[in-house]
Amino acid sequence: MRRLRAVSRLGDAVANGRTVFRGSRYISTALQRQFTPPSSQASRHPPQESQSLKRIYCSVRHASSSATASDLRKTPLYDLHVANGATMVPFGGFLMPVQYSSLGVGASHHFTRSHASLFDVSHMVQHYISGPGANAFLEKITPASIKTLKNRNSTLSTLLWPVTGGIVDDTIITRVGPEAFYVVTNAGCREKDIAYLTEQKAEFEKTNKDKVNWNVLEGVGLVALQGPLSAEILESLIYWPNTSKDEEKEVLDKLYFGQMQFIRIKLLNGEPSDNLLVSRGGYTGEDGFEISIPPHNVVAVTEALLGACPERLQLAGLGARDSLRLEAGMCLYGHDLNDTITPVEGGLSWIIGSDRKASGGFHGSDVILKQLLPKSKRGSGVEKRRVGFIVEGAPAREHCEVVAPGTSTKIGVITSGCPSPTLKKNIAMGYIETGYHKPGTDVEIVVRGKPRKAKVSKMPFVAPKYYKQPLAAQDDAALAENVAKEAIEQAQKDVESERQVAERYFNNLR
């Protein structure tokens, strides 16, 4: 395998010509289709929304996929990508790297699974939502258990349309204070999400005296360090004054999947970075971190990461990210999820908090909560479900029809699909009629006019390797919190200190 040695300093880089992208059999149709921003996918907008929001949504929906380079934005790392021989393509309104000159998509995929890769995801939209109404506002527009979300913990959720419960976008919500949240949404839904949040915030404040502050963090970088060596690489750079190596190691040892911490790292010039918001998780199924970086530190932090372990860390693009996320059974909005699909239909019932199932009160809860129960139990159930498929022969791509074996009766549709570099099988994701959804069910998928044998499969296709807190440790922590008054008092002091750190961090980004 040819290995790409990343250019760690832009100042040392020799201008590289753009490589010609020849495509890859590992890239799903979601990325092959001219890298159209997900929000440009045709989908019906809920009819009860305001005309102003409809106009903004439609302008996104019908945006041309052939936008000129001058119409597209660049992330803070654009020059670094070009210096490293990246092929830049339109995606989510940005010019983004799909692969690099010395490492193909398949090789990059395998390198992420065996070593570590660094992905630029600065095109994602980062938000800071705070104020006395923040908790109630987020509980109105999402089905998440926001009030019980612990400090510096994250949850996957969805923004929901009123009445219908359709998914506006999927999102990660992180509590960074008693009344403060860091929220990340998709680049392709930028205009739609901003219009949605603007309108929903105004509607919320009409009937609630508690105000909500909302800022879009423009220019803030976001990189994803993913792979089994991610923790080792990040640990080698941690800057923690007046601490031992063992104490520095504990910073990441005690940072589990779905948690975040403010961390500083050593830059190439020996100086410390500003505080970085580091969340443990990602979009690949591997252990890893998503690192939010203040604007003036984006390039320096990325160069420090690449320079720390060049044999163990490589840049990776959209191509590898797509095949990795599909193996992990993760959705791409605009393809596997859209405005007409509810969380239950999308196989995301688990994101609905148990307390929210009891109390409701979120957009579309009347529809969604009934879908959780089958008709036999006085619910409404669902007519379709998101499932995985293992496909024989040619890979099934987006829009391929799923039919009952030996017939032409359509029972579903593929939304994402590609050959799995890890499994050496063709995998796909899509929707199928309830009744055909159980794993192991035989179906056929029409690929290029020819029916191909396939089986419904559980997802994820590849077992995740998240760094999760052991259940015993969770139980011990809960017990200690209940019986040790001094520990509780100290924890309260720590929360206050953490709140101040978070406030300083986000205030500096405004």
Side-chain angles (χ1 to χ4, degrees), residues 348-368:
L348 298 174
S349 299
W350 57 272
I351 71 170
I352 306 170
S354 56
D355 58 322
R356 309 308 308 280
K357 292 176 182 177
S359 64
F362 52 88
H363 284 339
S365 58
D366 288 346
V367 172
I368 291 169

Side-chain angles (χ1 to χ4, degrees), residues 304-484:
L305 289 166
L306 293 171
C309 307
E311 296 303 314
R312 293 177 289 171
L313 177 64
Q314 299 291 315
L315 286 165
L318 294 171
R321 190 166 182 257
D322 192 52
S323 56
L324 288 161
R325 70 92 188 170
L326 187 51
E327 287 187 344
M330 296 183 179
C331 300
L332 177 61
Y333 190 88
H335 302 269
D336 311 305
L337 301 173
N338 62 42
D339 298 283
T340 67
I341 293 170
T342 68
V344 182
E345 293 170 326
L348 298 174
S349 299
W350 57 272
I351 71 170
I352 306 170
S354 56
D355 58 322
R356 309 308 308 280
K357 292 176 182 177
S359 64
F362 52 88
H363 284 339
S365 58
D366 288 346
V367 172
I368 291 169
L369 296 182
K370 288 179 182 177
Q371 291 180 335
L372 292 171
L373 294 174
K375 293 178 180 178
S376 61
K377 295 184 177 181
R378 298 186 178 181
S380 65
V382 292
E383 301 298 322
K384 61 183 178 183
R385 301 168 187 259
R386 181 175 64 91
V387 298
F389 300 91
I390 302 292
V391 188
E392 295 183 14
R397 304 291 189 177
E398 186 177 13
H399 303 309
C400 287
E401 291 187 355
V402 183
V403 299
T407 76
S408 59
T409 303
K410 181 180 177 181
I411 57 173
V413 64
I414 300 301
T415 54
S416 292
C418 72
S420 164
T422 302
L423 301 177
K424 310 299 182 186
K425 298 178 181 178
N426 295 322
I427 61 174
M429 182 190 300
Y431 286 83
I432 199 166
E433 290 181 10
T434 297
Y436 291 92
H437 66 282
K438 294 182 179 179
T441 301
D442 290 320
V443 297
E444 291 180 352
I445 299 176
V446 182
V447 181
R448 299 172 189 166
K450 182 178 179 180
R452 305 282 183 176
K453 291 182 179 180
K455 282 187 182 292
V456 175
S457 171
K458 288 184 178 181
M459 292 188 288
F461 298 100
V462 175
K465 301 172 185 175
Y466 304 129
Y467 183 70
K468 292 189 174 183
Q469 185 174 11
L471 290 176
Q474 295 178 29
D475 295 340
D476 290 344
L479 179 62
E481 188 174 350
N482 289 329
V483 301

Side-chain angles (χ1 to χ4, degrees), residues 159-360:
L159 304 178
L160 299 172
W161 288 114
V163 183
T164 68
I167 298 173
V168 179
D169 199 2
D170 53 323
T171 181
I172 299 290
I173 301 171
T174 304
R175 181 182 290 278
V176 293
E179 298 175 345
F181 299 87
Y182 168 66
V183 178
V184 180
T185 56
N186 285 299
C189 297
R190 174 183 289 265
E191 289 86 353
K192 181 178 73 168
D193 289 350
I194 288 175
Y196 170 87
L197 289 169
T198 299
E199 183 163 293
Q200 293 303 315
K201 178 177 176 292
E203 287 295 320
F204 176 84
E205 291 180 337
K206 284 181 182 178
T207 56
N208 290 270
K209 63 179 181 179
D210 294 330
K211 298 300 180 184
V212 177
N213 304 313
W214 164 46
N215 298 93
V216 178
L217 306 177
E218 297 290 1
V220 178
L222 188 64
V223 296
L225 175 61
Q226 299 285 294
L229 302 184
S230 296
E232 181 182 322
I233 292 166
L234 185 57
E235 180 188 309
S236 71
L237 292 172
I238 288 178
Y239 177 86
W240 213 272
N242 305 316
T243 57
S244 66
K245 283 292 182 184
D246 288 341
E247 289 173 318
E248 289 181 358
K249 188 175 186 298
E250 282 188 6
V251 174
L252 297 187
D253 284 350
K254 294 182 178 180
L255 184 65
Y256 297 103
F257 176 77
Q259 297 179 348
M260 62 75 58
Q261 178 64 277
F262 289 105
I263 293 174
R264 296 161 74 186
I265 69 170
K266 295 184 285 286
L267 303 177
L268 292 179
N269 62 8
E271 295 295 318
S273 70
D274 285 348
N275 265 331
L276 311 174
L277 194 160
V278 178
S279 305
R280 197 149 199 169
Y283 198 48
T284 64
E286 294 290 334
D287 183 24
F289 307 87
E290 293 194 340
I291 306 171
S292 180
I293 313 169
H296 62 281
N297 258 179
V298 180
V299 174
V301 166
T302 304
E303 290 177 339
L305 289 166
L306 293 171
C309 307
E311 296 303 314
R312 293 177 289 171
L313 177 64
Q314 299 291 315
L315 286 165
L318 294 171
R321 190 166 182 257
D322 192 52
S323 56
L324 288 161
R325 70 92 188 170
L326 187 51
E327 287 187 344
M330 296 183 179
C331 300
L332 177 61
Y333 190 88
H335 302 269
D336 311 305
L337 301 173
N338 62 42
D339 298 283
T340 67
I341 293 170
T342 68
V344 182
E345 293 170 326
L348 298 174
S349 299
W350 57 272
I351 71 170
I352 306 170
S354 56
D355 58 322
R356 309 308 308 280
K357 292 176 182 177
S359 64

Side-chain angles (χ1 to χ4, degrees), residues 59-81:
S59 68
V60 178
R61 170 182 168 185
H62 298 295
S64 171
S65 63
S66 57
T68 63
S70 61
D71 298 326
L72 299 167
R73 302 174 66 177
K74 297 177 181 178
T75 75
L77 296 174
Y78 175 85
D79 290 339
L80 185 144
H81 297 312

